Amino acid sequence: MQYNWLICAALLCLQLLTAAPAAAEEQESLAAQASNLLSYIAADYADAVRDGAVIDQPLYRQQQRNLNRALEMMHGLPDRPGRAALEKSVRDLDGAIAAKRSGEQVRRRANAAADRLAQLYQLQRSPAEMLPAASVAAPLYQKRCAACHGARGEGASGPALTDYRRMASFSLYDLYNILDPGADTVHARRLDADLSSRQRWALAVTVASLAVTGTEPPPVDEARRYPALVGLPGMATARPVELSPDAAAALMWWRGHPQRVRALQHPLARADGLLQLAESAYRAGDNASAYHQMVLALREGYLPQRDALAQRDQPLETQLSARWQALRSAILGDASNAEVIAAFQQLRSGLAQARTRLQPPPASDFRGWVTLLFAVSVVLGLLLWLRRRRR
Ligand code: HEC
């Protein structure tokens, strides 16, 4: 009798232990699917409702169904602080769709809910490594996708992928997510189940490039105006449709040509982007990739700038070197979560300071004085000349 009890307990423990990882994976896939459905609503709604009236009844009904499915999936996810706010934002979205609000309002709400969901359940919305050129996955695209979407994305039995306006409503992550076998709500599993995460990111870039094939790159200045969009995670998570027209056009081109963009990014901005990725990997419990990203940030972002910084501001350089060291030992050692997060934040704020220190001194003052001096001397010269002539 007693033994039976013990065996039962042991079996239960075993079951719990083996069930835990599968459950975590399932949760991530549920969250990714729900996020995918929400971003679909954001992209499609404007085709279903115009000026407060439904213009495409089947599409409108599909969106309501999609929203309900997303809500059901969310109910399958564990409770977390912030989840009540998420559910409220989805209910608000439901209300907005029922009231046939404008396309823009529904799009904003749906995208905001998708982003909140991704944050709350710590979905990795940015690739672990640099994005490859569009040409890398071009052969894979021809083999797997062209039959339905056309060799140049012009569309066949599947929709065109060259529609600029529609593609602008997806982030690169949304495109990646469309190919995630766990989240894909439009393709059969056999289509993408065997693709690695790396291949899916590469395909997302290939797809993103189709809408901007043959177009000119944005002016080089744009990289300075929108530094967050030339690096990760911004390039992967921002949706062009939510940006100003200039920034949207630039992002559309940049994300289709990631290899051409790398040179535009300030190394310290790259370091910051990689540290953000490292931090989110750490928060998701993936210490190995957190460490890997941190080393990349140091090597590709900070070290190329270190000498210049030491010349400009030696104490700041010394302080930053200590902060890199502190973060490294915090991740590798047994520091508490809060300590590691604090080390990330200190390092990132130091790097932001370094960026301002490395900026060239403002030239405008100097140029202003030169122009004034020049004007004064011209006027003086003219006066002298006039006086001479009168004599
Ligand atoms: C068997 C045909 C077929 C194949 C093969 C296929 N797709 Fe699709 N794809 C579709 C259909 C159909 C849709 C639209 C479904 C819907 O809107 O409900 C779609 C939707 C998409 C979308 C979303 C487009 C939008 O405007 O909503 C993307 C992106 C996409 N596919 C990419 C790919 C990529 C990349 C591949 C190759 C790995 C691929 N597809 C292979 C049929 C296919």
Side-chain angles (χ1 to χ4, degrees):
M1 181 68 199
Q2 239 177 0
Y3 284 116
N4 275 353
W5 216 86
L6 266 180
I7 290 171
C8 271
L11 277 179
L12 194 71
C13 276
L14 199 69
Q15 204 174 8
L16 279 178
L17 277 177
T18 46
E25 222 168 77
E26 214 168 275
Q27 272 167 26
E28 195 176 321
S29 139
L30 266 185
Q33 278 180 59
S35 155
N36 198 19
L37 286 170
L38 289 170
S39 67
Y40 253 117
I41 293 173
D44 286 331
Y45 178 83
D47 294 332
V49 174
R50 194 155 306 148
D51 302 326
V54 175
I55 53 170
D56 185 335
Q57 193 68 40
L59 186 62
Y60 181 71
R61 257 191 260 120
Q62 190 200 39
Q63 308 222 299
Q64 289 183 311
R65 272 199 308 274
N66 279 351
L67 190 68
N68 283 334
R69 273 177 69 197
L71 254 176
E72 261 168 44
M73 287 171 183
M74 275 180 224
H75 289 147
L77 291 168
D79 197 6
R80 298 218 171 139
R83 182 181 150 140
L86 171 66
E87 284 190 1
K88 183 176 175 315
S89 68
V90 176
R91 276 197 304 275
D92 286 351
L93 173 63
D94 194 30
I97 293 177
K100 308 185 188 72
R101 288 279 165 69
S102 78
E104 196 185 316
Q105 282 181 37
V106 168
R107 190 193 73 224
R108 286 246 163 85
R109 277 169 208 242
N111 281 335
D115 289 347
R116 191 171 278 177
L117 180 77
Q119 256 165 14
L120 196 58
Y121 291 97
Q122 281 158 354
L123 298 178
Q124 281 289 330
R125 289 186 298 162
S126 193
E129 286 159 49
M130 301 277 168
L131 289 165
S135 57
V136 169
L140 189 59
Y141 175 87
Q142 292 307 330
K143 205 164 123 208
R144 293 277 187 109
C145 327
C148 296
H149 291 291
R152 270 172 245 91
E154 69 278 16
S157 62
L161 302 174
T162 44
D163 180 343
Y164 189 92
R165 195 188 59 85
R166 186 163 172 87
M167 285 298 130
S169 64
F170 296 122
S171 68
L172 211 51
Y173 169 72
D174 293 331
L175 295 174
Y176 164 88
N177 215 4
I178 288 173
L179 297 172
D180 181 339
D184 194 342
T185 48
V186 303
H187 296 116
R189 270 185 69 86
R190 63 180 160 72
L191 213 149
D192 49 24
D194 64 326
L195 296 175
S196 69
S197 161
R198 183 113 194 94
Q199 283 173 313
R200 299 199 321 264
W201 277 113
L203 276 170
V205 172
T206 308
V207 169
S209 74
L210 296 171
V212 290
T213 309
T215 62
E216 290 292 310
V220 178
D221 283 12
E222 301 283 84
R224 225 170 308 135
R225 282 177 67 197
Y226 309 112
L229 301 178
V230 284
L232 296 171
M235 191 193 275
T237 55
R239 297 184 183 90
V241 69
E242 309 289 358
L243 306 171
S244 72
D246 276 358
L251 177 59
M252 286 292 281
W253 196 89
W254 287 333
R255 69 186 195 175
H257 304 81
Q259 80 289 5
R260 300 264 300 270
V261 173
R262 230 157 276 152
L264 299 176
Q265 203 186 10
H266 191 288
L268 290 184
R270 182 175 312 160
D272 189 64
L274 286 163
L275 284 174
Q276 274 186 60
L277 294 181
E279 188 177 329
S280 68
Y282 178 80
R283 283 178 191 269
D286 184 355
N287 282 24
S289 65
Y291 184 74
H292 174 67
Q293 303 282 2
M294 186 213 79
V295 172
L296 274 185
L298 175 69
R299 205 186 304 142
E300 296 189 357
Y302 184 66
L303 293 184
Q305 295 286 300
R306 187 175 61 182
D307 290 348
L309 180 63
Q311 274 177 14
R312 213 32 94 73
D313 189 338
Q314 182 61 58
L316 182 58
E317 198 281 316
T318 312
Q319 189 187 42
L320 273 173
S321 291
R323 288 187 184 177
W324 281 104
Q325 196 53 44
L327 177 63
R328 184 175 181 278
S329 9
I331 296 180
L332 291 180
D334 46 12
S336 73
N337 264 18
E339 280 164 349
V340 176
I341 300 297
F344 268 116
Q345 274 155 12
Q346 273 169 2
L347 177 57
R348 286 183 58 200
S349 80
L351 285 174
Q353 225 177 320
R355 253 187 99 177
T356 9
R357 291 294 286 130
L358 282 174
Q359 252 152 25
S364 56
D365 279 6
F366 178 67
R367 230 181 277 151
W369 280 108
V370 170
T371 317
L372 190 70
L373 270 178
F374 180 73
V376 169
S377 55
V378 167
V379 172
L380 274 179
L382 213 68
L383 285 176
L384 280 176
W385 180 72
L386 278 175
R387 265 180 84 174
R388 270 231 185 129
R389 272 191 53 172
R390 261 195 224 146
R391 276 198 199 141

